[in-house]
Amino acid sequence: MKFLCVDCDQQMHFEERALPGDGTLAATFKCPGCGRTVAMLTNPMETQLVSSLGVQIGGRTVPAQPMELVRSAVEGGREDAFAENSAPAGAGGGPGWDDGARERLTRVPSFVRGMVKRIYADYAKEHGIAVITPDVMDTARRELGLEGM
């Protein structure tokens, strides 16, 4: 993604990245022509999506290499990245999922299903919930500010 200064018609340069600590990410860009600065602020869900994809926010000092993202994912990927959590509640694999919650997960697009599952599992762990149900999912969406997504 690149930002273009509307006034100068020049590509803006990355200036600064900040992680405010509330799950959001802020990035600022500056026009080399007129000095105009713009900022981009992501919500926690967007920030987690960008992080899970391995996208780097900010400027580079070296040119991109062919297949760089794929290579880095293969080299440093987690063994459990695509593993389904089918362990029963309390089996050491995190919270369990009841049938209703599992059925709801099947309606999530496959390319983000792992991330969505992780969000709910992390929420359940943080709140001491042993089994994720559709009600837990609704509460998590509301509390995490994800209702519009």
Side-chain angles (χ1 to χ4, degrees):
M1 176 186 325
K2 300 195 185 299
F3 291 94
L4 185 66
C5 180
V6 177
D7 294 338
C8 298
D9 198 31
Q10 290 190 38
Q11 180 180 327
M12 298 183 115
H13 295 278
F14 173 77
E15 192 169 72
E16 182 182 6
R17 177 179 92 131
L19 298 169
D22 59 357
T24 62
L25 173 125
T28 56
F29 300 84
K30 188 173 187 174
C31 174
C34 68
R36 170 178 264 167
T37 302
V38 296
M40 175 182 72
L41 179 68
T42 64
N43 67 37
M45 179 92 168
E46 293 163 336
T47 303
Q48 187 168 3
L49 175 62
V50 168
S51 296
S52 70
L53 293 175
V55 175
Q56 299 294 318
I57 303 292
R60 302 183 70 111
T61 56
V62 295
Q65 299 298 309
M67 302 294 284
E68 178 178 347
L69 180 60
V70 173
R71 197 170 331 145
S72 66
V74 171
E75 288 172 2
R78 293 185 352 252
E79 289 183 28
D80 65 341
F82 298 103
E84 291 289 326
N85 180 7
S86 57
W97 293 76
D98 81 354
D99 291 337
R102 261 191 244 118
E103 191 276 324
R104 251 171 97 169
L105 275 176
T106 64
R107 296 191 306 249
V108 174
S110 61
F111 65 93
V112 293
R113 190 174 299 140
M115 181 186 63
V116 169
K117 199 170 184 181
R118 174 67 51 110
I119 289 170
Y120 289 126
D122 289 347
Y123 175 86
K125 287 176 191 173
E126 290 171 13
H127 290 83
I129 298 169
V131 178
I132 298 172
T133 65
D135 288 337
V136 170
M137 295 169 88
D138 291 339
T139 302
R141 284 176 59 90
R142 199 170 36 257
E143 289 183 12
L144 296 172
L146 306 174
E147 289 180 308
M149 299 183 146

